[in-house]
Amino acid sequence: MTVRLTLLCAAARAERDVRFADVPLDERALRQARAVAGTLPTAATLYTAPSQRCRQTAQALGWDAVTVEPALRDIDMGSWHGRTLDEVAASDGPGLVAWMSDPGAAPHGGESVAEVCERVSNWLDGLSGDAGRVLAVVEQAVARAAVVRVLDAPHRSFWNVDVPPLSTVQLTGRDGRWNLRMGAVAGHSL
């Protein structure tokens, strides 16, 4: 049976200084999440990453019976956790450059991009073939890693995948083989 997986990137606060941290959603982000609730396909299985922003997004979508899945957690930022990108660039510029250019680098002591890609790949391949339609609220890093896996792209491609808040990535899979499914324009039938 084919698994139809929709990954929804969690809502996000409108902040200029993005932090490597899990911050609660503001009312604007919650309102935006509620607005997309009716646009998602129905699914028998609902997952969310363990972060506060992912759980709040799932709650805003009206999901009651949702499974918190640790494999969908955000990248572990180690010693950079809680800091802004500008702060990290000022205090550990070479480390930041290494982390963004070498998928195996983890200068912060947390996870490397390659490790996140491997974790997400293992989760995808572990989904039961009879799962049917699955929806999951995930972190941007998880959505990026899923696209890298499905396209069998090199891990260095991770940073070339742009996943805005509340955007979806649709995948179909069977027997460990995954496909990226592009959406049609609403109201247009092919």
Side-chain angles (χ1 to χ4, degrees):
M1 177 179 241
T2 299
V3 177
R4 299 188 188 294
L5 172 63
T6 300
L7 302 175
L8 174 70
C9 189
R13 297 173 66 103
E15 295 180 315
R16 290 186 161 230
D17 293 328
V18 176
R19 292 190 177 276
F20 294 125
D22 181 23
V23 294
L25 298 178
D26 57 14
E27 186 53 41
R28 181 201 56 83
L30 291 169
R31 191 171 46 255
Q32 289 175 335
R34 286 190 289 269
V36 302
T39 66
L40 297 170
T42 58
T45 307
L46 303 172
Y47 290 106
T48 184
S51 68
Q52 184 174 356
R53 71 179 151 252
C54 286
R55 288 182 289 116
Q56 285 183 308
T57 300
Q59 186 176 34
L61 294 170
W63 294 3
D64 295 324
V66 61
T67 301
V68 176
E69 175 53 61
L72 301 177
R73 70 189 177 278
D74 203 0
I75 191 168
D76 178 354
M77 297 305 296
S79 63
W80 295 351
H81 180 80
R83 298 168 68 193
T84 67
L85 186 61
D86 288 343
E87 290 169 346
V88 171
S91 66
D92 189 10
L96 182 61
V97 169
W99 182 63
M100 295 196 70
S101 61
D102 176 3
H108 44 58
E111 281 182 297
S112 69
V113 166
E115 289 170 326
V116 172
C117 288
E118 186 65 26
R119 172 170 39 95
V120 172
S121 180
N122 289 338
W123 181 77
L124 285 171
D125 292 343
L127 283 174
S128 171
D130 62 354
R133 189 170 296 279
V134 178
L135 286 173
V137 176
V138 299
E139 303 289 348
Q140 288 177 324
V142 169
R144 284 180 171 138
V147 170
V148 167
R149 160 60 173 90
V150 169
L151 296 178
D152 198 23
H155 292 157
R156 68 179 181 275
S157 312
F158 180 87
W159 297 112
N160 298 107
V161 180
D162 189 15
V163 188
L166 297 175
S167 63
T168 60
V169 174
Q170 295 180 2
L171 310 173
T172 58
R174 178 184 296 185
D175 300 326
R177 181 174 175 265
W178 288 93
N179 296 305
L180 179 62
R181 181 177 175 91
M182 305 307 286
V185 175
H188 180 70
S189 60
L190 299 175

